[in-house]
Amino acid sequence: MLVKIDGVENNEFSRNKNLFLSFLKDNTHSGKLSPQVEVFKSIDVQKDSFHWVMSTFDVDRDFEKVDPAGWNLKNYLANPVILWSHDYSIPAIGYAENVKADTVLEGDIVFNSKEFDEFGWSIGERVKAGALRCGSVGFIAEEIEFLEAKDRECDLIFRKQELLEFSICCVPANPFARNGEKKLEITEVIQEPEELTFYDKLSKGLARA
């Protein structure tokens, strides 16, 4: 997870989830966050299709959830850029079409043509080949719900957020979102948590050390 506070990248928050969580709690009042906090969350995808599920309501590896009903798409739809690894210093490698947020955030990606952008085109070719399978949403957090119960499945839920951009990148935070299909398929049935050992829970991301 990458975090920027008022436009400045904060490496401590990116490395230390508890420190970031404490900062959010201290700066959230009635659910609304006072400083501008940009969060970048990656998702895992499949190859051979440019329809992408960009974000889901699943618990990600940061033990957070993003509410699909809370996406503010107004500004993004006016400038639907696709970037490489959240790099604002280089031109966009493509653009998104048909972006919508219902049960998931999804859209279609069009990569740049080789004629005028060989790098952007090459990223698209890597996605086709399966060498790149990950995308990442960049958003401004606006409203947050903190979960305090001991048996909570996650630490917090981003309830309202403005989509800034979508990036192709290498490492996912949300392993549940896939591109190519508009609905998720169950690929594995996991035992109920109480039937697992602590080690099994840890290895499956259901517990924290």
Side-chain angles (χ1 to χ4, degrees):
M1 179 175 63
L2 174 66
V3 177
K4 290 183 180 180
I5 308 297
D6 290 330
V8 179
E9 183 175 342
N10 189 303
N11 292 323
E12 290 187 20
F13 288 167
S14 300
R15 292 191 299 263
N16 189 327
K17 170 64 189 303
N18 290 331
L19 189 63
F20 180 51
L21 188 61
S22 296
F23 173 83
L24 291 178
K25 288 181 178 180
D26 291 342
N27 290 276
T28 299
H29 307 284
S30 300
K32 296 185 180 296
L33 194 58
S34 52
Q36 179 174 292
V37 177
E38 296 174 53
V39 181
F40 304 88
K41 284 187 169 293
S42 303
I43 60 172
D44 199 16
V45 300
Q46 295 174 340
K47 62 180 180 178
D48 296 335
S49 176
F50 292 153
H51 179 84
W52 291 58
V53 174
M54 299 172 172
S55 178
T56 73
F57 202 23
D58 296 285
V59 179
D60 61 29
R61 293 188 177 109
D62 300 312
F63 289 94
E64 298 170 352
K65 297 172 70 174
V66 181
D67 188 345
W71 284 108
N72 177 354
L73 303 178
K74 181 180 178 180
N75 291 330
Y76 182 74
L77 293 177
N79 183 41
V81 291
I82 302 298
L83 304 182
W84 166 248
S85 200
H86 305 298
D87 190 345
Y88 292 5
S89 68
I90 62 175
I93 61 173
Y95 61 92
E97 296 180 327
N98 306 315
V99 178
K100 62 180 182 178
D102 188 5
T103 56
V104 297
L105 175 67
E106 60 185 323
D108 300 317
I109 290 179
V110 179
F111 288 100
N112 290 342
S113 169
K114 185 179 183 181
E115 283 68 27
F116 69 91
D117 182 10
E118 189 165 347
F119 175 72
W121 169 83
S122 72
I123 297 301
E125 292 300 296
R126 287 174 172 85
V127 172
K128 284 184 181 179
L132 287 173
R133 307 182 182 212
C134 182
S136 179
V137 286
F139 61 88
I140 295 176
E142 296 176 346
E143 291 189 16
I144 298 173
E145 177 184 349
F146 297 98
L147 304 179
E148 304 290 351
K150 291 183 179 180
D151 59 349
R152 67 190 186 277
E153 64 173 345
C154 63
D155 294 321
L156 62 87
I157 301 173
F158 292 101
R159 286 298 186 186
K160 289 187 178 181
Q161 56 283 332
E162 178 186 346
L163 182 62
L164 297 176
E165 49 87 9
F166 185 72
S167 286
I168 308 301
C169 59
C170 295
V171 181
N174 182 341
F176 303 103
R178 298 285 191 271
N179 82 324
E181 296 291 339
K182 293 194 176 184
K183 63 179 181 179
L184 302 180
E185 296 181 357
I186 298 174
T187 57
E188 180 183 4
V189 177
I190 300 176
Q191 295 172 274
E192 291 297 320
E194 58 268 21
E195 297 176 0
L196 301 176
T197 66
F198 177 78
Y199 175 78
D200 289 335
K201 292 180 184 178
L202 196 62
S203 65
K204 292 180 180 293
L206 299 174
R208 282 164 282 186

